Amino acid sequence: TRLYAHCFFDELMLIYPFYAVMFVDHGLTPMQISTLLAVWCATTIVLEVPSVVLADRHSRKAIMVIGSVFRASGYLCWVFFPGFWGFLIGFVLWGIEGSLGSGAFEALVYDELKHFEREDEYAQVLGRCRSLGLKGIVVSGAIAAWAVSGGYPVLIYASCAAALLAGLLLMLLPTAAPAMVVDRGFGAYVATLKAGVGEVWRPRVRHLVLFAALVFALGGTLEEYWPIFISSMGVAPYSLGLFLSLTCGVQALASFFAH
C-alpha cells in the first residue's frame, strides 16, 4: 500500500498539463521550449547509467528521497525565476531526479519481492505501480483543470508538496537486503558500470533498448507539445487538464493489465 501510494503521489503533478503553456505565456520561443525539453532528456540520459550503479552500491530509498527533494527544488525555480534560465535549472533538477529514481525504484521493488520469495510477481507489481502513477496524473489533470484559475504558482506549489510527500512515503517503506551485494570503492564502481554496459550491448537487449528509445522519441517527445497545440486552438484552459486525464487514463488501464 505504501509503495502504491508513493507511485500515486509521485505523479500527482498539477503543473504537468500546463507547464508548456506556462513557458509560452512567459514569452519563450518554440526553439527555447524545445531546448528546455532536450536538456531535460539529455540530463536523464547522461546520468541514467551512473546513477543506477549508485543504486547498486548505496541505499536506494535515500537516493530516491534525495531525488524527490531535487524535483521539488526544480519546481520552485519555476516560481522564483520564471524565465528561460530558471526553467532550464528546474528541468536539470527534474532530470537528475528521473535518473536517480528509475533504476533504484525497480531494484527496490525486486529486492522486496525477492525477500518474500515473490519475485515472480515483479512484472505485475511494476505494472500496477505504473498504473497508479498514471492515475496520479489523471487526478492531477482533473484538479488542475479547476485550480488553474488560481494561477501557475498554485499548481507548482501543489506539485512540490506532492513530490515531498512521495519522498516521505518512500522513507516509510521497509528495507530488504539487496538481492546481490556489490563491493564498494571506485574500482568496483567502474567494474559494475562496465558489466552493465556489456549487458546492454548484448544483441537482444540492444535491440529492445533501441526500440524503446525510438518509441519514446516519436511519442513521448511530441506529447509535450500537445498542450501548446490545443491552447493555440483557443479552447478554455481547463480543457488541457481534462485532455491529459483522458490520455493518461487509457495508459493507466493498459499498464494495469500489461503483465
Side-chain angles (χ1 to χ4, degrees), residues 2 46 112 131 155 212 239 254:
R2 282 171 285 180
V46 169
E112 269 310 304
S131 180
L155 305 182
S239 62

Side-chain angles (χ1 to χ4, degrees), residues 118-136:
R118 294 171 58 187
E119 61 268 31
D120 56 331
E121 299 176 31
Y122 175 75
Q124 181 180 12
V125 171
L126 209 63
R128 288 178 176 175
C129 287
R130 171 68 173 162
S131 180
L132 264 294
L134 287 163
K135 287 172 183 174

Side-chain angles (χ1 to χ4, degrees), residues 33 35 45 73 136 147 159 164 177 193 252:
I33 295 173
T35 300
I45 291 171
S73 302
S159 300
L164 295 176
L193 185 61

Side-chain angles (χ1 to χ4, degrees), residues 2-252:
R2 282 171 285 180
L3 178 69
Y4 291 154
H6 158 75
C7 295
F8 178 83
F9 284 105
D10 193 52
E11 298 291 348
L12 194 67
M13 302 175 289
L14 269 64
I15 192 59
Y16 191 65
F18 293 98
Y19 66 75
V21 178
M22 178 180 69
F23 299 155
V24 174
D25 290 345
H26 280 88
L28 269 63
T29 65
M31 179 59 73
Q32 287 177 315
I33 295 173
S34 295
T35 300
L36 293 177
L37 297 174
V39 169
W40 181 23
C41 295
T43 301
T44 304
I45 291 171
V46 169
L47 298 178
E48 181 75 17
V49 173
S51 66
V52 172
V53 176
L54 284 176
D56 280 339
R57 318 185 61 75
H58 302 284
S59 168
R60 285 148 185 174
K61 287 200 301 183
I63 289 173
M64 294 168 65
V65 169
I66 292 171
S68 297
V69 175
F70 270 113
R71 178 147 63 96
S73 302
Y75 290 153
L76 290 178
C77 284
W78 292 359
V79 175
F80 296 114
F81 308 101
F84 176 78
W85 292 107
F87 295 145
L88 183 69
I89 294 172
F91 267 132
V92 169
L93 292 173
W94 193 352
I96 293 173
E97 183 268 343
S99 62
L100 288 175
S102 60
F105 178 78
E106 294 171 359
L108 184 147
V109 172
Y110 182 83
D111 286 344
E112 269 310 304
L113 292 172
K114 178 77 172 178
H115 178 71
F116 291 103
E117 298 182 349
R118 294 171 58 187
E119 61 268 31
D120 56 331
E121 299 176 31
Y122 175 75
Q124 181 180 12
V125 171
L126 209 63
R128 288 178 176 175
C129 287
R130 171 68 173 162
S131 180
L132 264 294
L134 287 163
K135 287 172 183 174
I137 298 178
V138 172
V139 173
S140 66
I143 297 175
W146 165 76
V148 68
S149 58
Y152 296 129
V154 173
L155 305 182
I156 294 174
Y157 286 133
S159 300
C160 286
L164 295 176
L165 179 57
L168 177 62
L169 288 166
L170 272 175
M171 295 173 65
L172 298 176
L173 288 175
T175 304
M180 180 183 296
V181 179
V182 296
D183 296 328
R184 298 194 174 187
F186 183 73
Y189 173 87
V190 173
T192 306
L193 185 61
K194 287 182 178 179
V197 173
E199 187 73 20
V200 171
W201 202 248
R202 292 169 53 197
R204 289 187 179 183
V205 179
R206 182 172 70 243
H207 294 160
L208 286 172
V209 170
L210 292 174
F211 171 75
L214 183 63
V215 170
F216 279 112
L218 296 178
T221 304
L222 294 177
E223 181 183 79
E224 305 296 334
Y225 295 92
W226 274 109
I228 299 175
F229 174 71
I230 295 173
S231 179
S232 68
M233 296 171 63
V235 299
Y238 68 82
S239 62
L240 297 179
L242 299 181
F243 172 78
L244 186 72
S245 291
L246 177 64
T247 55
C248 287
V250 176
Q251 294 180 53

